[in-house]
Amino acid sequence: MVKLMRVLLVGGGGREHAIGEALVRGGAELYVVSKHKNPGLARLAKGYGLAKETDIKKVLEYAEKFGVELAFIGPEAPLEKGIVDALEENGIPAVGPSREAAKLETDKAFARTFMERNEIPGRKVFRVFTDVSKMRSWVDDFGRSVVVKPIGLTGGKGVKVVGYQLRDNEEAKAYAEELIRRDGRVLIEERTDGVEFTFQVFTDGKRVLPMPLAQDYPHAYENDEGPITGGMGSYSCSNGLLPFVTREDYEKALETLKATVEAMRKEGTPYKGILYGQFMLSKGGPVLIEYNARFGDPEAINVLPLLETSLLEIAEGIVDGNLQGAEFEKKATVVKYLAPKGYPTNPVRGVKVEVNEKAVEEVGARLYYASIDENFTLLGSRAIAVVGIADSLEEAERIAESVIPHVKGELFYRRDVGTKESIEKRIKLMKEFGKEFEPNPC
C-alpha cells in the first residue's frame, strides 16, 4: 500500500475547505489548524488543531504533533507573520511565499515600488506619503481622480476610490490624512476605469502555471451596491477566459505575473506558491490593481473543483522548484456565498443554520463551509459557499441557485452572481469605457 503524504493545511475558511478537498483528492493525508473547526474540513482531516493561524508557535507545535511532511498556507495573515519561514526552518516545506516575498500583498508600497523598479507591465501612477501637506499638494497638482489605500492588509475593505466610496479628491485627501495619522503613511494611486478580474497562477519561483480566470462580486448587495466585502460570489467560464477579456488581454495579464515572478527571482527573493493578480481591464489593457499572495476567496472555489492534476503533486513541485503542469476541466462555475444577515457591518452571530446536504448533492451542486463551526453556528463572516459546475455558465448559475432553499437560517446572498444580466452589465461597461471587442461565449 502506498504511504500517503501528511499535509498540514493552515486556515479554516471556504477557500481552505476547497484546498483541503483538492489535497485529499490528490492523495494527501490531511491535517488542519485553524481558529475554528470547519465542519467540512473536520470530515476530511485525520487531525485538527484549534489555534489562531497567526500563532506561529502553536501551528509549529501541531505540525510536530501530527508529523506532517508538507504545509499549505491558506490565508494571508500568517504569511505576513512569516509562517513559511518558520516552518521551513523547522524542516517542513511549505506552499506559500516567504515573509519577504509576501510583501507583494502585505505592503502595497513595496509592491508599487517593486513594479516601478522592475518596469513590470500593467503598473499605475502612484505616490507614498508620510507628510500630510505634501500629500494634499500632490493630489491637487495631479488633478485627476485618485484611489487611497492603506499600506498593509485590509481584508479587501480599506481601499477607497473617488467616484465610489469617496465623492471627490477633497474627501480623498481627508481619508488619506486619517490614514497617515493612524499608520504613518498612505498609498495614493491614479484611478483606473474598467472592469476587474482575477488571475491566479501556481509558481515554483521560475515557472508560472495559469488557472482559469474568475470574476468576483465584492459588493454586499445586488446590482453592485453596498459596502465592499470579502466577496459575495464569483464565476468562471469553460474556456478559461471571461466574456469581456480577450485572448490578447489575457496574455498581457499573464505577462505581468510572469515578469513579477522573474523579477522577484532576480532580486533574490524568489516567490513560491500561489500568486493572484487583481486586474482592472481598462480601455488600454489590463492594469494591476493589487497582488495577493495566496488563493482568492471565493475564486479558489471556482478553480480547485476543476483541477484535474493532483494538487499534492503541484504542491510538491512548488516546494521542490520543479513544477510540471496543471490541467483544469473545461467547465463553467458559479459560486454564491451565503452570509449572516447584517454582514459585513453588523452580522448576526451565534445562530444555527440547517443544511440539507443530501438535497444539495442530488441537484449536483457542492457546498464549502467557511465562517461556521462544527455545530453549524454562524461566526459572523461569510458562512457557506454554494457552487454550480456545468458546461455553460447559465446552467452552472441555475444549479447554484437551486441549492439556496436547502440552506435555512439568518442568511442572505446575492442572487445576481453569475447571471446573464450581471455579465451583460459588465460587457456594457467595458464598451462604455471605449474598449472595442467581441464578447467571448461563456
Side-chain angles (χ1 to χ4, degrees):
M1 192 170 90
V2 177
K3 179 179 176 290
L4 295 175
M5 176 176 276
R6 292 174 168 239
V7 179
L8 179 69
L9 174 62
V10 178
R15 161 183 52 211
E16 287 76 32
H17 188 180
I19 294 169
E21 180 188 75
L23 284 168
V24 170
R25 192 170 73 239
E29 183 174 286
L30 188 68
Y31 297 82
V32 180
V33 174
S34 68
K35 62 181 178 289
H36 73 277
K37 188 174 279 190
N38 179 306
L41 284 171
R43 294 172 197 169
L44 294 167
K46 295 290 185 182
Y48 209 118
L50 291 176
K52 287 184 178 179
E53 292 91 343
T54 52
D55 187 342
I56 308 300
K57 183 181 177 184
K58 197 72 176 173
V59 174
L60 285 171
E61 287 175 4
Y62 277 119
E64 185 177 338
K65 174 185 174 182
F66 296 143
V68 300
E69 302 157 89
L70 178 73
F72 202 118
I73 314 304
E76 60 273 26
L79 294 172
E80 183 180 36
K81 297 292 185 183
I83 192 169
V84 169
D85 312 66
L87 285 161
E88 292 185 343
E89 284 165 11
N90 283 271
I92 302 168
V95 176
S98 65
R99 183 177 189 170
E100 192 65 21
K103 284 170 69 175
L104 282 178
E105 173 171 10
T106 63
D107 186 333
K108 293 181 179 67
F110 169 86
R112 285 299 179 201
T113 53
F114 163 83
M115 289 186 77
E116 184 175 63
R117 182 169 67 248
N118 290 284
E119 299 182 350
I120 306 294
R123 58 192 183 276
K124 300 175 75 172
V125 175
F126 77 97
R127 290 292 185 276
V128 178
F129 293 100
T130 57
D131 182 274
V132 171
S133 61
K134 288 180 180 177
M135 174 274 295
R136 286 183 168 274
S137 177
W138 185 85
V139 172
D140 288 338
D141 291 343
F142 187 62
R144 287 176 279 151
S145 295
V146 297
V147 180
V148 181
K149 295 183 176 183
I151 297 294
L153 294 176
T154 63
K157 303 176 184 75
V159 175
K160 294 190 178 182
V161 183
V162 168
Y164 295 90
Q165 299 86 3
L166 303 167
R167 281 181 297 183
D168 51 31
N169 277 7
E170 287 304 310
E171 281 198 357
K173 288 186 288 186
Y175 180 51
E177 181 172 343
E178 180 186 321
L179 292 177
I180 290 173
R181 302 212 183 283
R182 187 189 77 186
D183 303 333
R185 54 186 184 146
V186 69
L187 173 66
I188 298 183
E189 302 174 350
E190 63 176 320
R191 190 184 96 176
T192 305
D193 291 324
V195 177
E196 290 190 44
F197 67 94
T198 298
F199 201 153
Q200 302 171 111
V201 299
F202 297 111
T203 179
D204 60 5
K206 302 184 296 292
R207 193 169 183 200
V208 172
L209 301 180
M211 305 182 216
L213 301 185
Q215 187 178 37
D216 180 26
Y217 288 65
H219 291 270
Y221 311 133
E222 287 166 25
N223 202 33
D224 301 322
E225 295 178 353
I228 298 292
T229 72
M232 292 299 293
S234 49
Y235 71 93
S236 67
C237 297
S238 58
N239 59 9
L241 300 173
L242 293 170
F244 54 89
V245 178
T246 65
R247 177 59 62 179
E248 181 184 3
D249 287 324
Y250 171 93
E251 293 297 340
K252 286 180 179 178
L254 180 57
E255 181 51 40
T256 293
L257 298 176
K258 285 181 174 178
T260 298
V261 171
E262 179 62 14
M264 290 290 280
R265 186 184 67 79
K266 285 184 175 177
E267 289 198 350
T269 312
Y271 187 101
K272 291 185 173 188
I274 290 88
L275 181 61
Y276 156 176
Q278 189 69 29
F279 287 91
M280 182 73 80
L281 184 58
S282 69
K283 179 182 177 181
V287 175
L288 188 98
I289 300 300
E290 63 181 12
Y291 294 109
N292 287 304
R294 35 70 192 181
F295 274 115
D297 188 349
E299 296 96 331
I301 305 172
N302 293 101
V303 300
L304 285 172
L306 303 180
L307 183 62
E308 294 179 319
T309 309
S310 161
L311 183 59
L312 180 58
E313 287 181 13
I314 291 171
E316 290 183 277
I318 288 170
V319 299
D320 293 342
N322 187 31
L323 198 53
Q324 295 299 309
E327 297 297 323
F328 293 85
E329 192 177 4
K330 290 178 168 51
K331 298 272 191 182
T333 68
V334 172
V335 178
K336 300 196 181 200
Y337 248 125
L338 293 110
K341 288 180 179 177
Y343 175 80
T345 53
N346 188 30
V348 298
R349 290 180 170 87
V351 178
K352 287 193 175 186
V353 300
E354 296 178 14
V355 183
N356 186 338
E357 294 182 346
K358 185 178 179 183
V360 171
E361 193 176 325
E362 285 174 354
V363 299
R366 301 192 190 192
L367 285 180
Y368 293 92
Y369 293 108
S371 184
I372 190 168
D373 68 16
E374 67 269 36
N375 299 312
F376 286 73
T377 302
L378 297 176
L379 300 176
S381 192
R382 296 168 300 165
I384 302 171
V386 298
V387 188
I389 301 172
D391 291 329
S392 71
L393 188 67
E394 186 177 4
E395 179 63 9
E397 192 276 331
R398 187 199 65 75
I399 292 170
E401 188 69 22
S402 71
V403 173
I404 305 298
H406 302 302
V407 183
K408 300 186 187 302
E410 292 192 43
L411 301 161
F412 80 101
Y413 74 106
R414 282 189 58 169
R415 288 174 295 176
D416 61 344
V417 171
T419 61
K420 182 180 179 182
E421 294 75 18
S422 75
I423 290 162
E424 285 177 347
K425 176 184 173 182
R426 285 151 174 74
I427 292 169
K428 183 181 177 185
L429 270 174
M430 283 308 309
K431 292 190 172 179
E432 286 175 357
F433 288 134
K435 184 80 171 174
E436 295 181 3
F437 66 101
E438 285 299 318
N440 298 307
C442 196

